Amino acid sequence: MDVSIEPSWKAHLQPEFEKPYFQQLTDFVRYEYQNHTCYPKGKDIFAAFDHCPFQETKVVIIGQDPYHGPNQANGLCFSVKDGIPHPPSLVNIFKEIKVDVEKPYPKSGNLERWADQGVLLLNATLTVRAHNAGSHQNKGWEQFTDAVIKTVSSKLEGVVFLLWGGFAKKKSALIDKTKHHILTSGHPSPLSANRGLWFGNQHFSKTNGLLSKMGRSSIDW
């Protein structure tokens, strides 16, 4: 089937689009968007890929579900649209960046600026019904995004994977550790961060250190 996604990703992921589960997923998502308010907007469902072409992927951050409040989700994990208040996890991400790489706390929570530098901001589930967290889980998205992780792992080298929290850490089983770098920590959500599992992980400086060793440009967090 024809999926509107960035061409370099489409070339690698086309086999997934032809599988029965993806057709069922497409039917489900189409029904949900026609009958309920869902996020992100249809044009932003694959935004993580559109901002970060396949061969330019240097870093992968894995989230779980899009934000389910009005005007928050923009298709990139942890990211919100310009002018939207920062959710608690994003606040803690920016706080760690401020300490780790001494970068001022930003006004905008829109992380497109990261994606445009080669950071794939991948939610495991790419859509959600408004005010109903997890409502589109176990419908096929996870199979698709697992395939994305496996494709990055098998066809690229030297990618830095940032796995935050128990859910993301499980994805390490999909990654070839002989070819890539994996950094893990607690989740930036207040529940985890306030228990000392997030702050001080220095993932942003560590990522840039790894990229530098490989002769690749750093990320301007």
Side-chain angles (χ1 to χ4, degrees), residues 79-94:
S79 175
V80 291
K81 295 180 181 179
D82 292 319
I84 299 298
H86 303 173
S89 290
L90 187 57
V91 169
N92 287 338
I93 289 170
F94 287 150

Side-chain angles (χ1 to χ4, degrees), residues 30 40 52 60-61 79 104 112 135 139 146-147 159 163 167-168 181 184 196 210:
R30 186 176 291 122
C52 180
V60 177
I61 299 177
S79 175
E112 288 176 359
S135 50
K139 301 295 183 181
D146 280 358
V159 175
L163 308 183
F167 177 85
H181 303 276
T184 63
L210 290 167

Side-chain angles (χ1 to χ4, degrees), residues 29-127:
V29 170
R30 186 176 291 122
Y31 176 86
E32 285 284 297
Y33 273 72
Q34 289 172 347
N35 292 277
H36 305 279
T37 299
C38 295
Y39 303 118
K41 290 182 178 178
K43 67 180 180 62
D44 292 332
I45 291 174
F46 295 109
F49 305 92
D50 295 335
H51 283 274
C52 180
F54 182 76
Q55 295 294 345
E56 295 176 22
T57 303
K58 299 188 291 189
V59 181
V60 177
I61 299 177
I62 297 173
Q64 193 161 1
D65 227 24
Y67 296 122
H68 53 82
N71 299 314
Q72 288 182 304
N74 68 348
L76 311 178
C77 71
F78 295 106
S79 175
V80 291
K81 295 180 181 179
D82 292 319
I84 299 298
H86 303 173
S89 290
L90 187 57
V91 169
N92 287 338
I93 289 170
F94 287 150
K95 284 181 177 178
E96 177 61 22
I97 288 171
K98 184 177 180 181
V99 173
D100 184 23
V101 296
E102 300 180 347
K103 191 171 177 63
Y105 191 101
K107 288 183 179 178
S108 175
N110 190 334
L111 303 182
E112 288 176 359
R113 60 185 183 274
W114 294 3
D116 292 336
Q117 298 176 74
V119 182
L120 180 65
L121 293 157
L122 181 67
N123 274 318
T125 304
L126 298 188
T127 57

Side-chain angles (χ1 to χ4, degrees), residues 8-15 54-55 57 147-159 161 174 176 179-180:
S8 65
W9 285 102
K10 190 169 189 173
H12 290 286
L13 297 175
Q14 188 62 41
F54 182 76
Q55 295 294 345
T57 303
V148 171
I149 296 168
K150 290 176 185 175
T151 301
V152 171
S153 176
S154 65
K155 297 186 178 180
L156 295 176
E157 291 191 11
V159 175
F161 288 83
L174 308 174
D176 184 342
K179 295 170 58 184
H180 303 285

